[in-house]
Amino acid sequence: SQIGDVYNRVIADNNLGGIARNQGRLDEALGFYTAGLRSLEQIGGSLWVLGVFHMNLGATFIRCGQIDTGLQHLHTSQDSFSQAQARDFLPEMHRLFAEAALLAGDLSTAEAQGQQALSLARELSMRAEEGNSLRVLGEVASERGEADEAERRLGESLAVLEAVGDEYELARSQLSLARVFLIQGKREQGLEMLERCTAIFRQLDATLDLAVATTLAEEGGT
């Protein structure tokens, strides 16, 4: 800001938005993303970066529970990536479509979008998104009452995310697997998994995820 470098300020806004979103400061995340998007539009930034901002806004609105608004941003992101002929964010974008459908209770769409995200992640050798897509597919299986399939998919997600060293996403998958273990009556394994993810969430100041994990641990311990 001090030297008038608008483009790199835009990138900084995007990165700060990502940190705030993962830490559960969703209003702040929306503020960073919105400010960055406005600046980007003023300087006529690339369609690729425009797509990234709309994708991140979509992800944040979905985490806020505002699914329709989130989907609007994801569709705008999809159009931007299509025009730019960019494929590097497609796995994440389809995974977010899957998450939105899962929250809306549309398990068929969630499964289809999750499978597309997984296929693209593997095709593009994007290991972190492969792990994230497997998590969502595991959550879909859990919602369908397919506990064994959910455990298998989430186990694969953990293996991938441990290999790439993505602590935050690893903890999200551990939380999902803990839920499955508790549903299966595997209380000891569930509580152990909750202990692991809680430590990571606390270290990263991921307050919303930490609150969910703590509540689940309290319920699972009774």
Side-chain angles (χ1 to χ4, degrees):
S1 295
Q2 291 175 356
I3 66 174
D5 187 346
V6 177
Y7 179 79
N8 277 300
R9 190 184 71 203
V10 164
I11 301 303
D13 280 332
N14 180 68
N15 295 342
L16 288 166
I19 294 169
R21 188 177 80 206
N22 288 353
Q23 290 186 332
R25 296 180 284 114
L26 301 182
D27 287 341
E28 288 183 57
L30 290 174
F32 283 123
Y33 289 138
T34 300
L37 181 60
R38 287 174 180 165
S39 297
L40 183 68
E41 291 172 339
Q42 289 173 358
I43 64 174
S46 71
L47 285 167
W48 182 82
V49 181
L50 187 69
V52 171
F53 267 95
H54 279 290
M55 184 183 70
N56 287 333
L57 277 165
T60 308
F61 277 114
I62 289 167
R63 291 209 72 179
C64 291
Q66 299 181 45
I67 297 174
D68 289 342
T69 303
L71 287 173
Q72 289 174 9
H73 282 286
L74 289 183
H75 284 298
T76 301
S77 173
Q78 189 173 34
D79 290 341
S80 297
F81 290 144
S82 178
Q83 292 178 57
Q85 298 183 331
R87 305 184 72 219
D88 46 347
F89 278 100
L90 293 185
E92 182 176 356
M93 186 192 67
H94 284 289
R95 189 251 304 171
L96 292 170
F97 275 124
E99 289 185 1
L102 180 59
L103 286 172
D106 185 352
L107 300 185
S108 295
T109 298
E111 176 76 23
Q113 290 286 350
Q115 290 289 357
Q116 188 166 1
L118 179 60
S119 177
L120 283 165
R122 286 173 171 168
E123 178 188 341
L124 299 172
S125 299
M126 300 179 71
R127 292 281 284 162
E129 270 309 312
E130 179 182 351
N132 295 341
S133 299
L134 284 164
R135 176 180 62 248
V136 177
L137 289 170
E139 291 169 350
V140 172
S142 179
E143 285 297 310
R144 285 179 168 161
E146 302 168 354
D148 289 343
E149 177 65 10
E151 183 179 344
R152 183 186 68 81
R153 288 174 169 180
L154 289 166
E156 290 178 3
S157 173
L158 291 188
V160 172
L161 292 170
E162 284 177 343
V164 300
D166 191 328
E167 282 193 311
Y168 175 68
E169 298 296 350
L170 172 64
R172 292 183 69 192
S173 290
Q174 289 172 335
L175 176 58
S176 294
L177 184 54
R179 286 196 188 98
V180 172
F181 281 146
L182 292 174
I183 290 170
Q184 292 174 310
K186 300 177 180 178
R187 180 174 172 274
E188 187 173 329
Q189 289 174 266
L191 292 177
E192 180 185 352
M193 198 59 62
L194 283 171
E195 187 175 343
R196 293 184 192 178
C197 69
T198 297
I200 296 173
F201 290 144
R202 186 175 288 113
Q203 175 189 348
L204 299 178
D205 293 326
T207 55
L208 290 182
D209 298 293
L210 178 60
V212 172
T214 300
T215 299
L216 191 58
E218 291 171 353
E219 293 173 350
T222 58

